[in-house]
């Protein structure tokens, strides 16, 4: 086929599909930055989204680059520096990254990338190793009151929602949040191994990351950070146990900095198309995620508000 004929055909296809030409071009070969090590929530979310992008036809291929550390700040820095102006680049992010930026004060910020969409929301669950001498959150709290440093809290990077929740729990029960012994990990896989190996006293993360171990009896779930019990999950909330702590997690996706408005629109349309696919619906159900799609200026304002709100919580909890 002659090149001019091919381009005309492509333009006609774009017009017929209702998508801008840039959407088809940008959807060819996406590069996805996952700013965490394999095995955690961002990794699971990114690969589920990649599968949905391909199965929905929004993208031809999706390649992945895992770069863990500093609550996603290392991955964000690499993404900002290497992908500026690239309409084919996306990055998974979420509440954890905001917390890491607040606590770590890295030289890179989210303003160097482009907001695209919020994808999911999820609450955290706290778990004990199956052979732990503690049986309930009350047991953990009582030990923490006696000796705060003797209780090792394991989870994601500093500033993660489970770190914030641990500090909030301490404050609620009268323990100096600055004295909690929090052990951060670069990815969910590392945190899971530490919990199973008894290297930490208690671990926290999204329920989906621990679900198989809870169901297999290798972990004991002792509390969730939701306002009411999660559907189909027989784990008491912290509020039920007299600890007034409620905090949610969410995950989203950003594009590279410096892309044009049309390229941003194209990426947004691709993500929306992927979230309407059967593959994405299956991932939501499998992982216990709640769909929380939000795009455009609404998502951009949401991130700004979340940043301010999370910072206020951290100040109140004595973390900063």
């Amino acid at each position: 086929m002659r090149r001019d004929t091919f381009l005309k055909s492509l333009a006609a296809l774009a017009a017929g599909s209702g998508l801008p030409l840039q959407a088809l071009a940008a959807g060819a070969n996406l590069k996805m930055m996952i700013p965490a090590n394999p095995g955690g929530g961002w990794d699971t979310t990114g690969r589920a989204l990649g599968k949905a992008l391909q199965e929905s036809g929004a993208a031809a291929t999706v390649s992945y680059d895992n770069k863990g550390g500093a609550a996603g700040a290392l991955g964000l820095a690499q993404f900002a520096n290497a992908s500026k102006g690239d309409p084919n680049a996306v990055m998974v992010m979420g509440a954890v990254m905001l917390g890491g930026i607040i606590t770590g004060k890295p030289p890179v910020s989210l303003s160097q990338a482009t907001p695209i969409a919020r994808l999911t929301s999820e609450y955290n669950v706290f778990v004990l190793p199956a052979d732990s001498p503690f049986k309930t959150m009350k047991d953990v709290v009582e030990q923490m009151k006696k000796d705060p440093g003797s209780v090792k809290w394991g989870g994601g990077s500093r500033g993660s929602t489970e770190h914030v929740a641990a500090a909030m729990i301490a404050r609620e029960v009268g323990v100096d949040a600055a004295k909690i012994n929090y052990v951060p990990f670069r990815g969910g896989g590392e945190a899971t191994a530490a919990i199973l190996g008894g290297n930490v006293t208690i671990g926290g993360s999204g329920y989906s990351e621990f679900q198989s171990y809870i169901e297999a009896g290798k972990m004991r779930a002792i509390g969730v950070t939701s306002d009411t019990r999660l559907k189909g999950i027989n784990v008491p909330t912290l509020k039920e146990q007299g600890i007034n702590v409620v905090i949610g997690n969410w995950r989203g996706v950003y594009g590279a900095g410096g892309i044009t408005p049309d390229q941003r629109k194209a990426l947004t349309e691709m993500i929306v198309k992927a979230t309407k696919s059967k593959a994405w619906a299956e991932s939501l159900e499998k992982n216990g995620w709640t769909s929380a799609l939000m795009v455009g200026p609404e998502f951009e304002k949401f991130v700004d508000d979340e940043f301010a709100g999370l910072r206020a919580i951290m100040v109140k909890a004595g973390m900063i």
Side-chain angles (χ1 to χ4, degrees):
M1 180 184 291
R2 287 174 51 190
R3 185 173 184 275
D4 58 345
T5 304
F6 169 75
L7 291 175
K8 288 178 182 177
S9 298
L10 185 58
L13 179 60
S17 67
L19 293 173
L21 181 58
Q22 292 91 335
L24 297 179
N29 300 286
L30 278 185
K31 293 168 285 186
M32 185 179 295
M33 162 59 68
I34 299 175
N37 288 354
W42 281 347
D43 187 60
T44 305
T45 302
R47 292 174 191 276
L49 178 62
K51 180 181 179 182
L53 282 162
Q54 291 179 88
E55 290 197 8
S56 68
T61 64
V62 180
S63 59
Y64 307 94
D65 185 8
N66 286 82
K67 180 71 174 179
L74 295 185
L76 172 60
Q78 181 175 309
F79 182 74
N81 293 329
S83 302
K84 188 174 181 179
D86 186 349
N88 297 321
V90 295
M91 177 188 68
V92 179
M93 52 75 67
V96 171
M97 184 173 284
L98 303 190
I101 290 172
I102 293 167
T103 58
K105 300 181 176 65
V108 65
S109 75
L110 272 172
S111 64
Q112 293 168 260
T114 303
I116 300 297
R118 185 182 69 182
L119 298 171
T120 63
S121 65
E122 184 179 29
Y123 288 99
N124 286 345
V125 61
F126 283 105
V127 298
L128 300 170
D131 59 356
S132 170
F134 304 121
K135 304 303 178 187
T136 66
M137 182 61 78
K138 181 180 178 181
D139 294 340
V140 174
V141 165
E142 289 304 315
Q143 179 60 34
M144 185 169 61
K145 287 179 177 179
K146 293 176 187 175
D147 181 3
S150 68
V151 176
K152 290 184 179 180
W153 299 79
S157 303
R158 272 185 55 83
S160 63
T161 49
E162 53 267 29
H163 185 192
V164 176
M168 292 171 73
I169 290 170
R171 184 177 181 277
E172 282 293 315
V173 300
V175 174
D176 184 352
K179 293 183 178 179
I180 66 169
N181 185 357
Y182 185 80
V183 183
F185 294 94
R186 290 162 65 98
E190 293 178 13
T192 297
I195 296 164
L196 293 174
N199 297 318
V200 294
T201 310
I202 179 172
S205 190
Y207 186 84
S208 60
E209 294 182 44
F210 294 153
Q211 183 176 2
S212 61
Y213 301 100
I214 294 170
E215 292 175 349
K218 295 180 179 179
M219 293 181 181
R220 182 185 302 113
I222 59 171
V224 293
T225 63
S226 53
D227 190 50
T228 58
R229 288 203 183 199
L230 301 178
K231 184 180 178 181
I233 298 174
N234 187 28
V235 181
T237 66
L238 295 175
K239 285 183 69 174
E240 278 182 65
Q241 302 175 70
I243 304 169
N244 189 27
V245 170
V246 176
I247 184 170
N249 192 7
W250 57 268
R251 300 188 181 104
V253 62
Y254 267 50
I259 60 175
T260 68
D262 279 350
Q263 289 167 340
R264 180 180 181 179
K265 182 173 184 286
L267 276 176
T268 302
E269 289 173 343
M270 290 168 64
I271 298 300
V272 171
K273 183 176 181 180
T275 61
K276 293 179 179 179
S277 69
K278 181 180 178 182
W280 184 248
E282 290 173 346
S283 292
L284 292 175
E285 184 175 356
K286 176 184 176 183
N287 294 293
W289 298 333
T290 299
S291 177
L293 185 64
M294 181 187 290
V295 301
E298 185 183 8
F299 175 54
E300 195 164 354
K301 182 181 185 300
F302 168 81
V303 174
D304 290 341
D305 291 346
E306 279 285 293
F307 190 89
L310 191 57
R311 192 180 191 286
I313 289 173
M314 287 179 165
V315 169
K316 188 176 180 181
M319 293 178 65
I320 55 175

